[in-house]
Amino acid sequence: MQSITIRTIQLHAVALPYVEPLRTSFGEEPFKACILIEVGTEEGVTGWGEASVEIAPGYGAETMLTALHILREFIVPRLIGKTICDATEFPRLIRGVRGNHHAKAGVEAAVWDALARVNAMRLADYFAAHLPADHTPRGAAVVGVSIGIQPSIDATLAIIHKRVSQGYRRIKLKIQPGWDIDIARAVRSEFPDTLLMLDANSAYRLDDAAHLQRFDALDLLMIEQPLADDDIYEHSLLQPQLRTPICLDESIKNVNDLRLALHVGALRVLNLKPARVGGFTESLAMYRVCVENNLPLWIGGMMETGIGRAANVAFASLPGVTLPCDISATDRYFNPDITEPPFVLQPDSTLLVPDGIGSGVEVIRERVAEAEARWQAHYPYKG
Ligand code: OSB
Ligand code: MG
């Protein structure tokens, strides 16, 4: 394997208009914002990654500005001039920086992409090279679509009809107190055979257990993150009271959290977001734990641009990812995206892993420049 030596790291703070924003129990962002990370190497290849933070600290503690700060002051200076033989060396290089997983994951993704490209490999195959030999990528990721909180039940049903006719075979509904049992019942009765799940983004408390039991009648795939974002213990008290499997998202920040949650019975499904856990090296460790424990696993999303999405599609094509992922086609998010070619939903509710080396997508620099100008013009915390 050819190594890389990092020569430059450029941070691109960007904003893109959403085709359709996503309202969750913690709110809605006015546009897609994230930091694109461009790693230039002495070998002449460029790797791209996405730090998929949000503008406000609603999903996680990091924001656009905290990530820019941590990247500029603490992460980038540790990396310039470093030689990396394998992407899994990356976490050691930034060991002195605690937390800030989304920022770290973005740079790590660019390093994975650069190493795959310098070795003329697809990213999916480079991931698989770190797993037992029978974990060959499948060439496609099975996906679903996440439906935000809408103004009415009718509006929700109309959007789901559109998504189902586009070919999505798994629907995730965002819920919150007051927008939960009625909408879930209405969707289930209109779509009796569709794979259906709910995501509460931490909107409930353990006291709501009796209310949450009402979802058991709806044959749901799972309920995602009902309780606090930093809780594992109370989820372990809730799960035995529900027939619906609990999936954890926010609560699981690393492989040790996952082991603890498994040990105490706090989850029956894992939503693995490479961004949330600090990158693909940690993601691979968690993937292995899921395989060893037969824990159903899917890859979550943060409304990524084509850069983050391409890497997630590659990871989601690994065979230990057993449930449909929160990765939708390009036209659900942006028009245009900043990469080509677009991801197009296939009739079997999958996205194909691109054939090209690395993440397999090409970054369109003019669109990145335009999106950087949009961030500069709009971001609300400018001094
Ligand atoms: O909880 O999974 C979540 C987006 C932003 C923040 C949190 C979440 C989400 C999604 C995104 O559900 C789904 C997607 O990327 O398509
Ligand atoms: Mg979630």
Side-chain angles (χ1 to χ4, degrees):
M1 288 285 288
Q2 162 86 54
S3 63
I4 55 166
T5 298
I6 297 180
R7 196 167 69 82
T8 56
I9 299 180
Q10 286 180 65
L11 307 176
H12 306 270
V14 298
L16 289 167
Y18 278 124
V19 168
E20 197 179 283
L22 184 74
R23 173 161 291 279
T24 66
S25 62
F26 57 82
E28 177 179 308
E29 299 247 307
F31 45 76
K32 163 69 190 175
C34 67
I35 300 160
L36 303 176
I37 292 140
E38 181 183 0
V39 169
T41 66
E42 298 293 352
E43 293 68 28
V45 300
T46 299
W48 286 88
E50 173 171 342
S52 54
V53 285
E54 294 188 316
I55 301 165
Y59 170 77
E62 291 174 81
T63 68
M64 283 291 285
L65 293 198
T66 71
L68 277 170
H69 167 63
I70 295 293
L71 286 164
R72 276 189 193 130
E73 304 296 328
F74 301 104
I75 294 180
V76 170
R78 281 175 160 77
L79 298 173
I80 301 299
K82 290 289 185 323
T83 296
I84 304 178
C85 298
D86 187 274
T88 58
E89 295 162 19
F90 182 85
R92 254 204 328 271
L93 295 174
I94 50 159
R95 200 165 36 187
V97 181
R98 286 198 178 154
N100 295 286
H101 285 185
H102 293 252
K104 289 174 177 172
V107 189
E108 197 186 308
V111 167
W112 279 92
D113 185 39
L115 273 159
R117 285 177 195 266
V118 83
N119 287 287
M121 287 173 86
R122 291 186 320 160
L123 187 55
D125 296 318
Y126 190 34
F127 289 142
H130 295 80
L131 293 169
D134 53 333
H135 286 259
T136 315
R138 294 169 297 193
V142 181
V143 303
V145 64
S146 184
I147 309 287
I149 294 168
Q150 305 294 325
S152 69
I153 290 180
D154 282 349
T156 311
L157 296 177
I159 290 179
I160 298 173
H161 272 291
K162 181 172 92 177
R163 297 304 180 205
V164 168
S165 71
Q166 288 171 331
Y168 290 104
R169 292 199 197 150
R170 188 230 63 186
I171 298 294
K172 163 166 143 180
L173 291 178
K174 293 289 192 178
I175 58 163
Q176 64 186 12
W179 180 263
D180 50 17
I181 189 72
D182 293 344
I183 186 64
R185 279 188 183 138
V187 173
R188 179 43 92 214
S189 75
E190 186 96 349
F191 301 92
D193 303 320
T194 299
L195 298 175
L196 182 63
M197 58 177 287
L198 309 176
D199 186 0
N201 287 111
S202 303
Y204 296 89
R205 297 175 313 148
L206 189 55
D207 287 350
D208 298 318
H211 177 65
L212 297 173
Q213 281 170 348
R214 301 163 79 195
F215 296 117
D216 281 345
L218 299 178
D219 189 24
L220 302 175
L221 266 182
M222 68 192 87
I223 179 167
E224 186 178 340
Q225 197 68 37
L227 307 182
D229 65 293
D230 55 357
D231 168 77
I232 291 175
Y233 175 61
E234 291 198 338
H235 282 99
S236 79
L237 301 180
L238 178 63
Q239 179 66 91
Q241 302 182 60
L242 304 180
R243 274 206 310 276
T244 306
I246 291 178
C247 169
L248 291 181
D249 174 357
E250 285 91 327
S251 290
I252 306 296
K253 303 283 200 285
N254 54 50
V255 69
N256 286 336
D257 286 347
L258 175 58
R259 288 202 189 97
L260 170 60
L262 272 167
H263 183 72
V264 300
L267 85 179
R268 290 190 192 153
V269 182
L270 178 66
N271 167 351
L272 173 53
K273 287 185 187 172
R276 188 189 72 230
V277 305
F280 287 114
T281 301
E282 191 74 9
S283 298
L284 283 165
M286 296 171 74
Y287 174 102
R288 284 187 214 100
V289 168
C290 291
V291 170
E292 282 158 19
N293 289 276
N294 281 314
L295 184 71
L297 166 67
W298 54 281
I299 304 305
M302 295 286 295
M303 309 288 277
E304 280 87 354
T305 75
I307 292 177
R309 188 137 21 98
N312 284 354
V313 167
F315 199 93
S317 76
L318 295 168
V321 177
T322 53
L323 287 170
C325 299
D326 259 358
I327 313 172
S328 304
T330 300
D331 66 4
R332 186 262 167 263
Y333 303 103
F334 313 110
N335 183 23
D337 202 336
I338 47 150
T339 57
E340 292 287 345
F343 287 92
V344 178
L345 190 71
Q346 303 299 300
D348 56 351
S349 201
T350 64
L351 297 179
L352 299 176
V353 178
D355 285 331
I357 61 168
S359 71
V361 293
E362 183 199 349
V363 177
I364 310 300
R365 287 191 178 273
E366 305 82 75
R367 298 188 199 158
V368 173
E370 211 180 304
E372 283 188 271
R374 197 179 292 109
W375 170 255
Q376 288 299 327
H378 288 288
Y379 86 89
Y381 310 114
K382 202 154 42 179

